[in-house]
């Protein structure tokens, strides 16, 4: 697939110009500049394909100012975000990607970790090396020992004994979405070498999606696995009698359709869900996707605050989610929203609630 192969879709967009895509674009809702909408990006792409102008750094800025959340795709008949990744590849080939992205990809190639840390998972999680089910942590959880140990404890309470790899390596998702495909292929090879499993559990929605789609592996997000156990009656949960709102991580909900599963787990714990204005397939990104955390932290914070305002508007005090990146981003958003709207909404992971609901 190339940018050129998206021509038909882009021309359709040019013809309709319906603008439905801008409605829930988290970037556009902050910046209010139409160039940054999905339609704006498609326009830029068409001009480049038609040879009206060469790609420029300015164009790269527009293309990379996008969380790749897919909210535009659900308002449109086309897969626009696939085209954006193709466009990013072109920009990388032309040397126009932002230098911070190149640095990030080089860090991953050198260390197997998006943050450039050398983490020996065999030592960190030495008590979780003898389970039956392999579990891939991913870069976001790998350095968060206490949270991972808590999740392992919760899973053990349900009879799920996981096995953490000795020295896992980044799955390659970040390099792929930044447009560094050759580098992503090498990173995928290293991932497979360190983690030679076909069937395994995952904790990060993006790792799950990428290992399924790009590598055809049978990865299962652990929330889905837990849901199946809860639904079959094999796991009994206590009634927590709580009111929360649930934030759908883009890759888990919109991309993989795991929308009802976390909600059914929450309901099985006696948790009442008060939906935000945007939820399910029409959920709104926390702001951290698409590599924006690397180059646009302030815009990411604004998007996280925007999402937390929706949580505040539900009237509940707790937001629950099932993605480590959303969790940390929304935590910041919660602090910022508290300052502005004088109301605190606590951000919790679904694992914390499960811990409370299990003996
Ligand atoms: S909804 Fe689709 S066709 Fe309409 S303007 Fe947006 S990208 Fe173009
Ligand atoms: S993927 Fe998300 S951030 Fe990017 S243009 Fe579409 S709606 Fe906006």
């Amino acid at each position: 697939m190339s940018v050129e192969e998206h021509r038909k879709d882009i021309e359709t967009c040019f013809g309709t110009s319906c603008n439905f895509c801008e409605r829930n674009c988290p970037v556009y809702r902050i910046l209010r500049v139409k160039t940054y909408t999905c339609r704006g990006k498609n326009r830029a792409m068409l001009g480049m394909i038609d040879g009206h102008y060469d790609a420029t750094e300015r164009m790269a800025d527009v293309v990379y100012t996008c969380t790749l959340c897919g909210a535009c795709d659900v308002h449109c008949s086309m897969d626009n975000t696939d085209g954006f990744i193709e466009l990013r590849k072109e920009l990388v080939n032309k040397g126009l990607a932002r230098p911070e992205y190149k640095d990030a990809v080089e860090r991953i190639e050198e260390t197997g970790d998006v943050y450039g840390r050398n983490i020996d998972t065999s030592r960190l999680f030495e008590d979780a090396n003898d389970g039956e089910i392999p579990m891939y942590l991913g870069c976001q959880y790998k350095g968060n020992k206490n949270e991972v140990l808590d999740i392992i404890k919760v899973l053990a309470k349900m009879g799920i004994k996981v096995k953490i790899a000795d020295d896992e390596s980044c799955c390659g998702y970040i390099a792929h979405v930044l447009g560094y495909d050759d580098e992503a292929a090498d990173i995928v090879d290293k991932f497979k070498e360190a983690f030679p499993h076909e069937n395994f559990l995952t904790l990060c929605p993006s790792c799950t999606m990428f290992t399924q789609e790009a590598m055809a592996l049978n990865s299962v997000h652990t929330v889905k696995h837990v849901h199946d156990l809860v639904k079959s009656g094999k796991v009994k949960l206590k009634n927590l009698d709580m009111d929360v709102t649930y934030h759908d991580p883009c890759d888990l909900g919109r991309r993989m359709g795991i929308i009802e599963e976390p909600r059914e787990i929450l309901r099985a714990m006696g948790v009442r869900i008060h939906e935000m204005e945007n939820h399910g397939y029409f959920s709104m990104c926390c702001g951290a996707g698409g590599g924006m955390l690397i180059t646009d932290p302030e815009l990411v914070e604004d998007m996280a605050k925007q999402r937390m305002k929706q949580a505040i508007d539900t009237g509940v005090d707790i937001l629950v989610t099932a993605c480590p990146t959303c969790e940390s981003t929304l935590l910041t958003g919660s602090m910022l929203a508290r300052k502005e709207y004088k109301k605190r909404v606590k951000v919790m992971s679904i694992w914390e609630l499960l811990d409370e609901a299990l003996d």
Side-chain angles (χ1 to χ4, degrees):
M1 186 72 73
S2 64
V3 171
E4 175 64 37
E5 287 170 275
H6 280 277
R7 172 189 285 278
K8 227 172 155 191
D9 280 356
I10 300 166
E11 284 178 346
T12 303
C13 172
F14 192 80
T16 59
S17 289
C18 61
N19 270 349
F20 291 150
C21 53
E22 74 180 33
R23 194 171 303 170
N24 287 322
C25 173
V27 170
Y28 174 68
R29 282 172 73 140
I30 299 284
L31 297 179
R32 293 289 166 193
V33 176
K34 296 219 185 255
T35 315
Y36 289 96
T37 63
C38 177
R39 187 182 66 137
K41 292 175 174 65
N42 282 342
R43 284 275 194 286
M45 232 185 303
L46 189 58
M48 194 181 81
I49 297 171
D50 285 345
H52 293 308
Y53 42 77
D54 285 332
T56 59
E57 280 184 17
R58 178 78 188 99
M59 187 197 279
D61 170 63
V62 170
V63 174
Y64 280 105
T65 308
C66 169
T67 66
L68 292 177
C69 67
C72 45
D73 290 340
V74 292
H75 286 286
C76 179
S77 61
M78 303 176 310
D79 292 328
N80 297 288
T81 43
D82 286 351
F84 299 161
I85 294 176
E86 292 307 318
L87 188 51
R88 287 178 174 204
K89 288 182 200 167
E90 293 268 332
L91 295 166
V92 168
N93 289 338
K94 290 175 193 292
L96 290 167
R98 297 179 184 176
E100 295 93 327
Y101 293 137
K102 192 165 183 287
D103 294 346
V105 172
E106 282 175 1
R107 267 200 310 273
I108 300 171
E109 286 181 300
E110 279 163 27
T111 63
D113 178 78
V114 73
Y115 299 108
R117 303 162 299 187
N118 276 306
I119 296 175
D120 180 352
T121 36
S122 62
R123 284 184 51 203
L124 266 184
F125 307 109
E126 54 194 346
D127 294 336
N129 286 343
D130 57 351
E132 306 100 43
I133 309 179
M135 186 162 80
Y136 181 69
L137 301 175
C139 297
Q140 289 301 337
Y141 269 131
K142 201 165 59 175
N144 202 340
K145 182 180 176 182
N146 291 339
E147 205 172 342
V148 172
L149 290 178
D150 286 347
I151 294 171
I152 291 171
K153 194 179 79 188
V154 169
L155 294 174
K157 285 189 198 176
M158 287 184 266
I160 306 168
K161 289 202 81 185
V162 296
K163 178 180 168 59
I164 309 288
D166 280 354
D167 191 15
E168 64 166 59
S169 192
C170 174
C171 68
Y173 169 79
I174 296 283
H176 167 68
V177 295
L178 292 178
Y180 290 81
D181 244 26
D182 292 343
E183 291 81 351
D186 290 341
I187 295 168
V188 164
D189 287 344
K190 282 188 194 145
F191 158 80
K192 285 182 173 172
E193 207 178 299
F195 196 79
H197 302 288
E198 293 274 325
N199 304 289
F200 56 95
L201 292 176
T202 48
L203 290 172
C204 165
S206 303
C207 300
T208 317
M209 185 182 71
F210 190 64
T211 50
Q212 287 178 7
E213 290 184 0
M215 301 176 223
L217 298 173
N218 297 319
S219 53
V220 176
H221 193 277
T222 312
V223 162
K224 169 95 178 63
H225 188 66
V226 167
H227 168 262
D228 294 347
L229 288 179
V230 170
K231 199 138 193 222
S232 69
K234 287 185 187 144
V235 168
K236 295 280 172 245
L237 299 168
K238 282 193 281 194
N239 187 342
L240 299 182
D241 188 22
M242 290 168 73
D243 293 273
V244 310
T245 190
Y246 176 75
H247 168 78
D248 293 274
C250 299
D251 288 339
L252 192 69
R254 191 157 32 233
R255 302 271 188 202
M256 287 190 288
I258 301 179
I259 290 171
E260 273 311 304
E261 289 87 340
R263 288 173 170 79
E264 284 183 8
I265 295 172
L266 291 171
R267 287 190 203 107
M269 295 189 266
V271 173
R272 293 171 292 276
I273 302 164
H274 301 251
E275 297 288 7
M276 286 181 269
E277 181 189 335
N278 289 94
H279 57 272
Y281 283 105
F282 298 95
S283 183
M284 181 173 283
C285 182
C286 67
M292 290 194 64
L293 261 181
I294 300 169
T295 45
D296 297 89
E298 284 176 18
L299 185 53
V300 172
E301 284 183 2
D302 285 343
M303 288 190 272
K305 187 172 75 175
Q306 161 179 263
R307 182 56 167 159
M308 289 309 294
K309 173 68 168 71
Q310 291 198 336
I312 288 172
D313 290 343
T314 65
V316 300
D317 299 325
I318 295 171
L319 174 144
V320 180
T321 192
C323 164
T325 310
C326 295
E327 196 186 329
S328 68
T329 309
L330 291 175
L331 209 61
T332 307
S334 172
M335 288 187 286
L336 296 168
R338 182 185 188 180
K339 267 192 206 155
E340 190 160 332
Y341 305 110
K342 314 293 174 222
K343 155 102 179 157
R344 175 175 182 244
V345 172
K346 187 177 175 189
V347 176
M348 295 180 78
S349 83
I350 195 164
W351 304 110
E352 289 173 85
L353 267 64
L354 275 165
D355 193 23
E356 285 180 36
L358 286 158
D359 285 323

